[in-house]
Amino acid sequence: MICYGLVFNKQINELRAALGHISGRSLKYCNDACLRRYLVARDWDLHKAKKMVEDSLKWRATNKPEEIRWHKVAHEGETGKCFRANFYDRFGRTVLISRPGMQNTILNLRNGQEQISWLVDFTGFTLNTNISVKAARGTINILQSHYPERLAISFLYNPPRIFQAFWKAIRYFLDPKTAQKVNSIYPNNEDSVELMKSFFDMENLPSVFGGKATLTYGHEEFSKMMAIDDMKTAKFWEFNNKPCHNMNGHSGLEVAPEEAMPISVSSA
C-alpha cells in the first residue's frame, strides 16, 4: 500500500536538495507547503519545479513583495474594485470579490489559507471600462509563475458579450490548469446556479452573485484589517519598521504562514 504522504515528502525533500544552499528570506519562503505548490504546478516534475522556484526567488529578490504595506497602496482600494469578502466559501477558503466596472484593486488573503475563491461581478462593465490586456497579461504571469496553486476556483458572474473578446485575449496566456478553474456563471442557467450553491452558502453570498446578502465595502474598516495584517506580515519576516517597497507599480502578492497577501493591479 502506497503512503502518498511519504512520497510527497520525499519529492519535496528532493526539490529542496536540488535547490542547494539558500538562506535568509528565500529559506523562509521555501517551506514545505510552498515547495509542494510548485511541484503540483509542474505536475511533480523535479527539474521544472526547480527552475520555477529559482525564477521566483530571483523575482522576489528584485521586487521584494514581502515589503509591500497597505498605506502605500490604500488609494488603489478606495472604490472597492477588488477586496476580500467578509464570508468564506463552503470549503473555508478566502473569497476575493472583483468588480472590473470600477477602478483599481487590492486583495488580502486570510491567514492560514493556501487558496482563494475568486468572484467577478460585471455590474457596470461597458466598452469604456479601461482594462489593459497588457496589464492583465503581466498580472497573470506573476500569479502563475510566482504564486502557483493559489487559485482554487474563479466565477465570472454574468459576463456581457463585450467581455468575450477580452477574455479570449487573456485566456491565451493562462496555463491550461488555471483556465479550467475559471467558470462563466449565468443566473438563468440552472447548472450555473447549482454550481454556485455547491461552493457558497446563498445566505452569505451577495445578491449580485445570485445570493441573498447585500454586497458592501467599507474602505475604513478594510484599511484597519489590512493594517493588522501588515503587522503580522512584518512579524513573520522579522521587519522592524523597515520602509516598505511599492514594486514600481507592478502587481504584488505575498503569502506565507501567518502573513497577509496583498495584490495591486493597475487597470491602465
Side-chain angles (χ1 to χ4, degrees):
M1 183 175 181
I2 298 175
C3 180
Y4 290 102
L6 293 177
V7 173
F8 294 158
N9 287 337
K10 179 176 181 293
Q11 290 175 296
I12 290 171
N13 290 334
E14 288 177 350
L15 175 55
R16 191 182 302 282
L19 289 171
H21 176 72
I22 55 176
S23 59
R25 298 183 188 178
S26 294
L27 179 61
K28 198 157 196 174
Y29 176 72
C30 291
N31 56 39
D32 286 356
C34 175
L35 295 183
R36 181 187 58 79
R37 287 192 295 271
Y38 280 88
L39 283 164
V40 171
R42 290 297 176 261
D43 295 321
W44 298 92
D45 185 301
L46 177 62
H47 299 292
K48 291 181 179 180
K50 176 178 178 288
K51 184 181 185 308
M52 190 181 190
V53 174
E54 290 174 337
D55 289 344
S56 287
L57 293 180
K58 292 176 182 177
W59 176 83
R60 294 174 65 84
T62 299
N63 293 285
K64 297 178 174 58
E66 70 275 9
E67 294 185 17
I68 300 171
R69 294 294 178 269
W70 172 248
H71 73 273
K72 283 289 186 178
V73 295
H75 64 282
E76 297 191 27
E78 290 179 352
T79 61
K81 180 183 178 182
C82 188
F83 60 96
R84 185 175 68 187
N86 60 359
F87 61 93
Y88 306 105
D89 70 8
R90 292 190 183 277
F91 303 92
R93 293 179 298 227
T94 293
V95 176
L96 169 67
I97 293 179
S98 295
R99 297 185 285 181
M102 306 179 76
Q103 296 299 319
N104 298 324
T105 70
I106 192 71
L107 161 69
N108 182 274
L109 183 64
R110 180 188 187 188
N111 289 335
Q113 288 292 315
E114 287 205 21
Q115 293 186 310
I116 63 170
S117 294
W118 199 328
L119 293 173
V120 183
D121 168 27
F122 282 90
T123 300
F125 187 93
T126 69
L127 285 172
N128 295 322
T129 300
N130 183 24
I131 299 181
S132 166
V133 173
K134 181 179 180 181
R137 178 182 178 183
T139 300
I140 288 171
N141 179 62
I142 289 175
L143 295 178
Q144 291 186 154
S145 300
H146 308 305
Y147 297 91
E149 295 302 307
R150 286 299 188 183
L151 178 66
I153 194 163
S154 178
F155 297 100
L156 309 180
Y157 195 79
N158 204 23
R161 289 185 178 181
I162 57 175
F163 174 75
Q164 298 307 315
F166 177 79
W167 171 239
K168 287 181 180 179
I170 62 174
R171 186 185 178 92
Y172 176 79
F173 302 106
L174 286 175
D175 178 272
K177 290 176 64 176
T178 301
Q180 290 178 0
K181 299 177 181 180
V182 181
N183 302 271
S184 292
I185 301 295
Y186 299 96
N188 294 326
N189 182 288
E190 185 176 342
D191 290 337
S192 288
V193 174
E194 290 304 313
L195 182 61
M196 290 294 283
K197 288 181 178 179
S198 69
F199 279 89
F200 301 98
D201 182 339
M202 303 309 279
E203 295 294 330
N204 297 328
L205 190 68
S207 58
V208 294
F209 297 110
K212 300 179 180 180
T214 301
L215 178 62
T216 59
Y217 172 74
H219 187 64
E220 183 176 347
E221 289 301 314
F222 190 72
S223 293
K224 291 178 181 178
M225 179 180 65
M226 292 295 287
I228 293 173
D229 285 337
D230 274 354
M231 289 189 287
K232 294 178 181 178
T233 300
K235 181 179 180 180
F236 177 84
W237 292 102
E238 298 178 354
F239 293 141
N240 294 310
N241 299 318
K242 184 174 181 178
C244 64
H245 191 77
N246 65 12
M247 296 182 68
N248 298 317
H250 293 288
S251 301
L253 184 66
E254 188 54 38
V255 184
E258 300 183 8
E259 77 171 323
M261 180 178 77
I263 296 179
S264 176
V265 181
S266 173
S267 59

